[in-house]
Amino acid sequence: MTASDLPPRLGSLTFHGPLSGDRAGRMVARLAAASPATVLDIGCGWGELLLRVLESAPGATGVGLDVNAEDLARGRGLAKERGLADRVEFVAESALGTARGPVDVVLCLGAGQALCDPGQPYDPGVVLRELRRLVRPGGRVVLGEGFWERLPSEAELAAMWPGARADDHLELGPLVDLAVESGFRPAWIESASSEEWEEFESGYRHDTELWLAAHPDHPLAAETRERVDGQRSSWVNGYRNVLGITYLTLVPVART
């Protein structure tokens, strides 16, 4: 069995999250206006937002950290295609306790877990304190973080990911308050729209669904169907219109 026989992975996504090109463009423009020289992307995947920041901030350099070799290779390819290979480094490296800061811009979109001890419960306070450590005075952090749009019912929790609990996320107000308590001012607060979620969720599975329709008897079809059906069900029967993601552009408060 060759690699071409396997189901494709995430080929229909521009960003690995519910983020539209229009929203990303506005976000990048705000970051570039601060004239950053250094950018760090935590859990970068293939680094699409990182590359767009570098395109809009001439002379800036960037580092993307991730542990997925396939995504990192895709990022290197995109950087080469766009003439950015000499200004960005994609590194197969854990971000836990990273010494790669402080920098002018830190991106952490849906990857806060990369900054937390995997042996401990997920804690957005730990994430925010780490981001505060990694950003320079006057710099910017963009944090993409999940939040409950409303508290989920027991039935909705049961339909989500295994072991889903009501305390897995905060609501938006307490999350923003926690950012302030962690030494930031929230310069911009925005949340993914229903359309952005649908584009992401459908795009996440699109190529694999097409593959399954064309290869129903493939040796990997049964396990792939089970995985994809579970992913889709957890969204449509569980967290759809319950789980949100906010993009917080945060500015560190000057230390006195």
Side-chain angles (χ1 to χ4, degrees), residues 18-95:
L19 178 64
S20 67
D22 286 344
R23 187 185 304 280
R26 296 190 295 270
M27 192 182 296
V28 166
R30 291 193 295 270
L31 294 174
S35 301
T38 51
V39 185
L40 176 65
D41 192 347
I42 303 294
C44 64
W46 52 86
E48 179 63 32
L49 190 64
L50 168 60
L51 295 175
R52 294 190 185 200
V53 172
L54 296 180
E55 286 174 325
S56 297
T61 60
V63 175
L65 304 182
D66 208 292
V67 295
N68 186 292
E70 181 181 345
D71 286 349
L72 292 168
R74 179 176 170 183
R76 294 184 191 107
L78 290 170
K80 184 176 180 180
E81 289 173 9
R82 288 146 80 165
L84 296 170
D86 61 339
R87 293 172 52 201
V88 65
E89 184 180 7
F90 286 92
V91 184
E93 182 177 292
S94 169

Side-chain angles (χ1 to χ4, degrees), residues 47 167 175 183:
D167 59 2
L175 178 60

Side-chain angles (χ1 to χ4, degrees), residues 89-149:
E89 184 180 7
F90 286 92
V91 184
E93 182 177 292
S94 169
L96 185 63
T98 182
R100 290 188 176 269
V103 295
D104 296 322
V105 169
V106 184
L107 307 174
C108 183
L109 275 68
Q113 70 278 356
L115 297 170
C116 294
D117 183 343
Q120 298 295 322
Y122 182 73
D123 185 345
V126 170
V127 175
L128 284 158
R129 289 190 292 275
E130 274 294 277
L131 293 172
R132 182 66 182 82
R133 179 180 70 83
L134 291 169
V135 67
R136 284 180 179 150
R140 302 288 186 273
V141 168
V142 176
L143 172 63
E145 181 72 15
F147 71 97
W148 294 131
E149 297 199 17

